[in-house]
Amino acid sequence: KLSSQFGETEDQVLGTKEPKAEGDTWALNTDSLSRALARNGFHIGAEKLRSEGQLTSVTKHEGGEAEFLQVDVSIIGEGVSPELPLGYAPKSGTLTNTISRRYPTDPKLPCAGEEISFEIVAEAEGKEAESIVNLKIHVKQTLKARYSRIGA
């Protein structure tokens, strides 16, 4: 099982019921993905998410014996709403998320590396002191990490 800080496991969000071969693609579980996003303050219905996973390659890591699966994921959503201040209502929102991760075939080993890009651009409208106020919210997060064992 692949764990996740989002409350849903990565297996629930990214996994497939059938084994995949190199180059195969599949749709992600958008119900689990929607719940995971909501736990982090981003609300979007599963029906508004488009997603795809792909097993890009199977390789050895750093010349070792263990095999790693390169999995690339793309998620796009229209109508996402971040947590908003009281009295504000969402007008529009777009989510773009890409994930590239190297998973070991041996569950005792850690992930070998990952690159993640997560971006939300949203607009909301509210009322403050009898005036209409429009907000533009832009959230962008990127992560690039490489993991290796020390003294194996």
Side-chain angles (χ1 to χ4, degrees):
K1 285 282 184 201
L2 304 169
S3 66
S4 173
Q5 71 272 24
F6 300 128
E8 305 285 318
T9 68
E10 288 185 38
D11 278 342
Q12 289 170 310
V13 175
L14 305 177
T16 71
K17 293 183 181 179
E18 305 83 27
K20 298 296 179 193
E22 199 168 321
D24 285 353
T25 61
W26 65 92
L28 278 63
N29 181 334
T30 54
D31 289 328
S32 288
L33 180 57
S34 176
R35 286 191 299 272
L37 288 165
R39 284 190 191 93
N40 285 274
F42 302 104
H43 305 282
I44 186 168
E47 72 284 355
K48 295 181 179 181
L49 291 166
R50 293 188 324 262
S51 63
E52 180 178 85
Q54 180 177 25
L55 177 55
T56 310
S57 64
V58 180
T59 59
K60 305 278 188 206
H61 181 61
E62 297 178 347
E65 295 299 314
E67 284 191 328
F68 284 80
L69 310 175
Q70 176 73 40
V71 177
D72 294 327
V73 171
S74 171
I75 302 164
I76 297 172
E78 293 293 333
V80 67
S81 173
E83 295 288 334
L84 296 170
L86 190 61
Y88 280 80
K91 289 173 61 176
S92 64
T94 302
L95 160 75
T96 307
N97 186 203
T98 58
I99 302 168
S100 183
R101 195 170 276 153
R102 295 191 64 207
Y103 294 103
T105 55
D106 181 347
K108 292 181 239 145
L109 295 175
C111 171
E114 59 191 339
E115 290 185 33
I116 300 171
S117 174
F118 179 86
E119 185 170 23
I120 288 180
V121 177
E123 292 186 15
E125 183 176 274
K127 197 170 186 181
E128 292 180 10
E130 304 305 316
S131 296
I132 300 295
V133 177
N134 290 297
L135 292 179
K136 183 166 185 176
I137 301 113
H138 189 181
V139 176
K140 185 169 186 174
Q141 299 172 329
T142 57
L143 168 75
K144 185 173 183 179
R146 183 170 177 225
Y147 310 102
S148 46
R149 298 177 79 184
I150 299 172

